[in-house]
Amino acid sequence: MDSWAEWCEKLEGWWAGDEGRACADDDAAHDLSHVRRVVKAALELSGDAADRDVVVAAAYLHDVVNVPKGDPRRADASRLSAARAAEVLAALGFPERKLDLVRHAVAAHSFSAQIPCETREAEIVQDADRLDAVGAIGVLRCFYVSGCLGRACYDPVDPLAEGRALDDAAYALDHFPVKLFTLEGTMATAAGAAAAAARTVFLRGFRDGLAKDVRGGGGDADEAFRVRLARACCAAGAARGALFHPADPCGASGRALRPTEYALDAVAHDQSPAAQSFFSQLALEVPSVKA
């Protein structure tokens, strides 16, 4: 077994243990599912030039200290995670000579920290984390976080902010152009940039479609898939619920749907073209989704 694969096993074990569970909180946008998606993306971006031990360690522990968005300490979250990651890894026997590389990769991954990447491993982990903010999974996470912060899904009168200033402190949909659409331009790896560009095309289409639904162009706005999805994710964030069932996000196994527990269950059986497009994209991004 490659050493990086052994570190995957060790860090999965750490997250399953008492220390890992103590670090976990009720933020479904930054939970272990998010961590695993970042690890998977980071490995796919690694190639032969990166130290995969460092990439895996940094990806698994990049959010080990999760300061909520909106908290005044938010800009320090990645630095706090970097220090904690080094402690965890040292206790697990990670090579001491590589700890500084992990510290830097963890500290530099954060958008708000604005720390320039100085190593290939840091670029990879940063790109992998940012990929999880765009595409279908980015839609879910954006509305969820906005619900956590008590923000509305969108401005019902002017959802695209055509006659007002963008305000993502008030509306989740405004966060798309304020930040999410800009991420593809910040990617450091060629593969990351290509993936982000494709996901951003989807993100733009979702925003335009949601705005059309809100304005009534797609029929009854209250029945439109994108409207119901956005509202379900915001409600889950407000209640600190889960975005989706970890093993069966779309209810494909025939399990009983629990929309009060899982946001995606509220729309899981929707057969509209918008729903099918969304689930197909999500299946590309989240391995457990069956389109």
Side-chain angles (χ1 to χ4, degrees):
M1 181 184 292
D2 292 328
S3 60
W4 63 264
E6 293 177 359
W7 280 107
C8 285
E9 289 189 357
K10 288 181 181 181
L11 289 164
E12 281 287 338
W14 182 84
W15 276 109
D18 291 342
E19 282 190 88
R21 289 198 301 270
C23 289
D25 60 20
D26 56 1
D27 177 1
H30 298 88
D31 59 5
L32 189 54
S33 293
H34 163 69
V35 168
R36 288 170 175 155
R37 290 190 302 272
V38 171
V39 171
K40 180 177 182 293
L43 285 170
E44 291 172 349
L45 296 174
S46 289
D48 297 327
D51 185 324
R52 289 192 169 199
D53 290 353
V54 172
V55 168
V56 162
Y60 262 109
L61 298 171
H62 74 281
D63 279 339
V64 71
V65 177
N66 183 24
V67 179
K69 291 184 184 296
D71 189 295
R73 301 167 300 159
R74 178 66 183 175
D76 294 325
S78 68
R79 294 180 178 88
L80 296 172
S81 287
R84 178 63 178 137
E87 293 173 356
V88 170
L89 292 168
L92 292 174
F94 194 79
E96 184 177 359
R97 69 184 186 280
K98 297 183 179 183
L99 285 176
D100 281 345
L101 293 171
V102 175
R103 285 190 190 96
H104 172 64
V106 172
H109 90 272
S110 168
F111 185 90
S112 55
Q114 294 294 298
I115 297 173
C117 291
E118 298 176 356
T119 66
R120 188 62 170 171
E121 292 79 15
E123 291 176 339
I124 287 165
V125 174
Q126 183 187 86
D127 279 12
D129 183 60
R130 291 181 184 184
L131 279 176
D132 212 49
V134 289
I137 190 64
V139 169
L140 300 181
R141 294 179 70 224
C142 178
F143 285 108
Y144 181 93
V145 170
S146 291
C148 290
L149 297 172
R151 298 170 181 170
C153 293
Y154 46 77
D155 180 342
V157 176
D158 186 7
L160 294 181
E162 294 168 322
R164 61 175 176 82
L166 289 167
D167 183 5
D168 65 345
Y171 306 112
L173 197 60
D174 284 19
H175 194 59
F176 285 41
V178 168
K179 178 182 177 181
L180 302 187
F181 292 165
T182 72
L183 292 179
E184 66 173 311
T186 71
M187 307 300 276
T189 67
R199 292 192 185 196
T200 302
V201 169
F202 177 86
L203 206 59
R204 290 181 183 278
F206 184 93
R207 176 183 180 244
D208 291 346
L210 177 57
K212 181 179 178 181
D213 293 339
V214 169
R215 290 166 167 164
D220 186 342
D222 287 332
E223 295 300 320
F225 166 79
R226 286 170 290 239
V227 171
R228 292 190 296 115
L229 177 66
R231 291 176 178 173
C233 291
C234 275
R240 287 298 199 277
L243 278 170
F244 47 73
H245 189 286
D248 182 19
C250 301
S253 68
R255 66 175 174 82
L257 296 179
R258 299 198 293 270
T260 58
E261 185 172 351
Y262 302 114
L264 208 54
D265 278 15
V267 295
H269 286 175
D270 194 310
Q271 296 298 312
S272 67
Q276 295 307 304
S277 172
F278 184 88
F279 292 135
S280 293
Q281 178 64 31
L282 191 63
L284 298 175
E285 302 168 7
V286 180
S288 56
V289 171
K290 296 179 177 61

